Amino acid sequence: MAPTIAPIVIYILSFFTPFIITLVGLPLHIRLMHKRGIIGVDIHKEEKPKVAERGGIVILISIVLSSVLMIILVNDPELRLSIGIFCITVTIAGLIGLADDIFNLSALLKPFLLLFASIPIIASKRYKSKPILPFIGETRLTIAYIVLLPFIIAVPANSVNMLDVFNGSMATTTIIVLIAILFSNLIIFGNGLDPLNDAGLSDSGLTYIFILILVGTILAFWIFNKYPAKVFGGDTGSLAIGGALGAIAVMGRLEVVVIIAMIPFIMNAFGIIGSVKGLLERREMARPTKMTKDWKIESTRDRKAPITLVGLVIQKEPLHEKDVVKTFNILTIVSAILAIVIAVLTNLSGVVS
Amino acid sequence: MSIIQSASNFVKNIGSGIMSYFRLTPRLAKLIGLEIFVFGTFIAICVVISEGIMRIPDSPKPGLNFLFASLKVGISLLLIGLWLGVWYYLTKRLMKNDRQENKEKEENE
């Protein structure tokens, strides 16, 4: 039998392994993309720099390799299976993103395919059909939960993808969401750093591993994606991260917390879907923004353009790209605080057995 | 540059960074208000479910019990659906209103 590794060591490795993999992998990826000519133009800057694309591939590799390492290190077959299922779910979402990056999938096909990312979770029964609500506690939604489960993965994946429009916007906002989930998990399930020895989905230790893997990966990605970006994540990155958030919601039994923490993402998705009356690809829609002479972002005032969160924050006056990202961060900080309040209310109600 | 100077620059950068966040917050008042409204209505729904719907007693008869349980889940899901619907409607309306205001402002100019 393999020796048991202290949970704290596993948590430290959960953060630093993906951080280092992404930190080392991205410069190589950037060089390779420039060499192969897989580059995009950053239209929000005067000098129109050419930026390496598909950085999400490194994000995906980092999550997969870190998950494999955790599977090797944890000593419990149930935990190993859960980490494996998390890894497969994220991989499916990321590969759909990669297919979109390469073949430009239609706006309907992409969310439809994402519904299948939940199959590993359903097949391996790595969920509990009893979501926890404040004041109410565990609810029994046996059949309804299975019907809703594919959407709990697909909706976050698509909404993260829709907000990945500026340098560093996806990275900073998802890190804020993940921090909120981390604290909420600690508040609702407690247990701190020790429950890694027991199997079961409500063990907070498992959720910490997922969160730390993601934070490590995204933090290293942010270093290269922050203003002025050297790499774009593409759909591979945003769908993998969004899918991972959905998987954490289901496997960590934090569905409500994740929904509340992601209010700005969902609001943005609502705005786009509502204004263009359905699902359309970014390239099929009129542009909602244009650049001013001093290279600030302003609204195009095009009635056919989708109504987005960006459009709302630049309605009064144009803003610099960095400031637009800051406004996204402010909105996500507010929703993150509200998510933590939900966790506190759930805990105070004494509804978690 | 001395260590003290570097440290002071570092603190200054952090300070100006935080200040820039505070400067941007007022323009987000409506959106933050909507976030808080969405949160508040969700909590209200949870209280209604907890204090109202969950009080529907279980029945000793299995058939009737199943009916009651389905009713509880059905009404709860309907409330959550309604919540999502109102959220969607308000987001759309807020965005449309802002666009309208902007158009009027442009015409006046």
Side-chain angles (χ1 to χ4, degrees), chain A residues 25-86:
Chain A
L26 272 176
L28 301 173
H29 175 84
I30 292 167
R31 233 176 291 157
L32 187 72
M33 290 296 112
H34 276 288
K35 216 173 177 182
R36 297 237 171 131
I38 304 172
I39 42 176
V41 177
D42 193 341
I43 54 161
H44 298 121
K45 297 182 184 63
E46 191 176 0
E47 56 276 21
K48 299 267 191 292
K50 285 177 179 159
V51 180
E53 288 199 340
R54 297 180 197 169
I57 295 171
V58 179
I59 291 178
L60 194 57
I61 290 170
S62 166
I63 295 173
V64 170
L65 290 182
S66 310
S67 301
V68 170
L69 180 71
M70 291 308 122
I71 290 170
I72 295 166
L73 292 179
V74 295
N75 216 3
D76 185 296
E78 286 293 322
L79 284 175
R80 281 182 177 155
L81 183 60
S82 293
I83 298 169
I85 294 299
F86 171 79

Side-chain angles (χ1 to χ4, degrees), chain A residues 330-345:
Chain A
I330 294 168
L331 291 171
T332 317
I333 288 169
V334 172
S335 63
I337 293 168
L338 297 177
I340 293 172
V341 173
I342 285 274
V344 172
L345 288 175

Side-chain angles (χ1 to χ4, degrees), chain A residues 301 307 313 317 326 331, chain B residues 20-21 27 35 95 102 106:
Chain A
R301 322 238 187 272
I307 302 171
V313 297
E317 56 177 317
K326 279 178 190 170
L331 291 171
Chain B
S20 70
Y21 271 81
R27 70 158 64 208
E35 281 189 300
M95 291 180 170
N102 218 50
E106 217 173 49

